[in-house]
Amino acid sequence: MPRRYYDDLFSFVTIAREGSFTRAAAQLGVSQSALSQSMKSLEQRLGLRLLARNTRSISTTEAGDRLLALLGPRFADIEAEVAELQSQQQRPAGTIRINAFDFVAEYILWPRLERVIERYPDISVEIATDYGLTDIVASRFDIGVRLGPSVEQDMIAVALQAEQRMVIVGTPAYFAKHDHPRTPSDLADHQAANLRLPTRGAVYAWELERDSETVDVRVPGRLVFDTLYQVRHAVRRGYGLGFMPVEMVAADIEAGRLHTTLDDWAPTWPGHHLYYPSRRQSSRALRAVVEGLKLSA
């Protein structure tokens, strides 16, 4: 297959990722007109329309999406392997991109990452936080974080914590006005600061558990947020109850600023695990970060 064909494929991946001929041309070191001609040539060769263009933006067509999903991870692997070969005789080096929930990044990852970046000055770490189930391969992340050990095929999972405990909390002032609930059904008479998850498409129902009994409860409330940090702020201000990872409110509980309730229904789940594609395990930088983050570290 001609080298030009591979160049055109790489150019397509760059344009699709950047969403701009201008940025892609600057990254590739070519002119916009040359890049545009390369895409025309590639589309003619394949007999497919890969890019949808208008005056303001560029997006991939359905065929372009499929080609990007096919090529993106492969080019990323090639880049990573070349970088690894270049650093074989050196200290672990490179940028490791991590996708995680925001509270996991702050309370679990960051305290351990500090040790990693101090030990390995040639490793850079980029953390992106969201509450969606991001495809780390398609989005070019090296590591993802999920609750529980179950991850996608062709992934290696490493425990970050033994378990994740959730608690229901409210301020002393709130409980001065509202009786503590005795059962999950009593929560219908309370107010909550709720969380909307992009993976659920609705307000999150609190997943409570006692012994072998489980119940999902939707607690009424006037406030709905898309991050737990906003939920915690509203709860601290007395606007209602919150259903939170215990790490986020442990200091408030210890100081008496928040009280827990329905403790016998507070669930404990398998803890968070980091995961990464098995084909990336040869990266020295990745291995150094994983070693620094894992539970036994």
Side-chain angles (χ1 to χ4, degrees):
M1 193 175 292
R3 174 184 173 182
R4 179 66 188 177
Y5 188 34
Y6 285 108
D7 291 343
D8 290 346
L9 290 172
F10 185 73
S11 295
F12 160 73
V13 171
T14 304
I15 294 168
R17 286 173 178 164
E18 295 295 328
S20 163
F21 270 92
T22 302
R23 292 193 296 270
Q27 184 172 327
L28 295 169
V30 299
S31 67
Q32 293 185 52
S33 59
L35 196 56
S36 179
Q37 185 58 45
S38 294
M39 290 304 95
K40 290 179 181 177
S41 175
L42 179 61
E43 289 178 327
Q44 290 173 358
R45 179 189 290 270
L46 297 177
L48 298 169
R49 187 170 179 237
L50 303 174
L51 298 171
R53 308 168 178 86
N54 59 43
T55 56
R56 294 187 177 182
S57 64
I58 297 171
S59 60
T60 51
T61 63
E62 182 178 353
D65 286 338
R66 294 178 63 183
L67 185 60
L68 180 62
L70 176 68
L71 296 177
R74 287 165 172 79
F75 278 124
D77 286 345
I78 292 172
E79 293 170 355
E81 291 299 330
V82 170
E84 179 63 23
L85 286 173
Q86 292 174 329
S87 65
Q88 282 297 317
Q89 304 304 317
Q90 305 171 7
R91 295 176 298 185
T95 299
I96 299 299
R97 301 184 68 233
I98 304 174
N99 179 266
F101 301 123
D102 49 9
F103 70 90
V104 172
E106 177 170 348
Y107 290 96
I108 301 176
L109 299 185
W110 177 239
R112 303 176 191 181
L113 278 173
E114 282 194 281
R115 298 196 298 268
V116 173
I117 61 177
E118 288 174 1
R119 181 177 180 183
Y120 301 105
D122 296 323
I123 291 180
S124 299
V125 178
E126 177 182 341
I127 300 178
T129 61
D130 66 56
Y131 286 70
L133 298 177
T134 299
D135 183 334
I136 65 168
V137 175
S139 299
R140 301 190 70 189
F141 288 103
D142 300 289
I143 294 172
V145 176
R146 291 282 184 274
L147 192 62
S150 179
V151 297
E152 301 172 9
Q153 190 176 7
D154 193 34
M155 295 286 177
I156 295 175
V158 178
L160 289 175
Q161 59 180 166
E163 61 185 25
Q164 174 68 70
R165 183 167 178 260
M166 303 291 290
V167 291
I168 301 173
V169 292
T171 63
Y174 177 87
F175 286 119
K177 298 177 182 178
H178 305 82
D179 293 334
H180 278 263
R182 296 180 179 275
T183 67
S185 61
D186 291 340
L187 290 170
D189 298 324
H190 285 262
Q191 287 285 302
N194 279 305
L195 178 71
R196 184 183 298 275
L197 293 175
T199 55
R200 306 288 179 99
V203 172
Y204 172 62
W206 298 359
E207 300 171 85
L208 307 183
E209 179 180 312
R210 184 176 65 180
D211 300 327
S212 60
E213 184 180 2
T214 60
V215 59
D216 293 350
V217 180
R218 295 190 185 278
V219 186
R222 297 166 55 203
L223 298 173
V224 178
F225 302 102
D226 63 1
T227 79
L228 282 169
Y229 283 93
Q230 295 167 314
V231 170
R232 184 177 65 179
H233 179 72
V235 171
R236 284 172 169 173
R237 296 296 298 268
Y239 286 107
L241 302 177
F243 188 56
M244 313 282 295
V246 70
E247 294 93 342
M248 290 190 70
V249 291
D252 290 317
I253 295 170
E254 184 176 356
R257 292 186 294 266
L258 294 176
H259 292 173
T260 61
T261 191
L262 285 179
D263 290 347
D264 55 337
W265 282 94
T268 298
W269 301 321
H272 285 90
H273 287 61
L274 64 80
Y275 65 100
Y276 57 94
S278 58
R279 59 180 176 274
R280 290 298 318 280
Q281 59 185 318
S282 61
S283 166
R284 296 177 68 198
L286 180 70
R287 291 200 305 270
V289 172
V290 170
E291 184 67 23
L293 290 178
K294 69 182 184 180
L295 180 60
S296 59

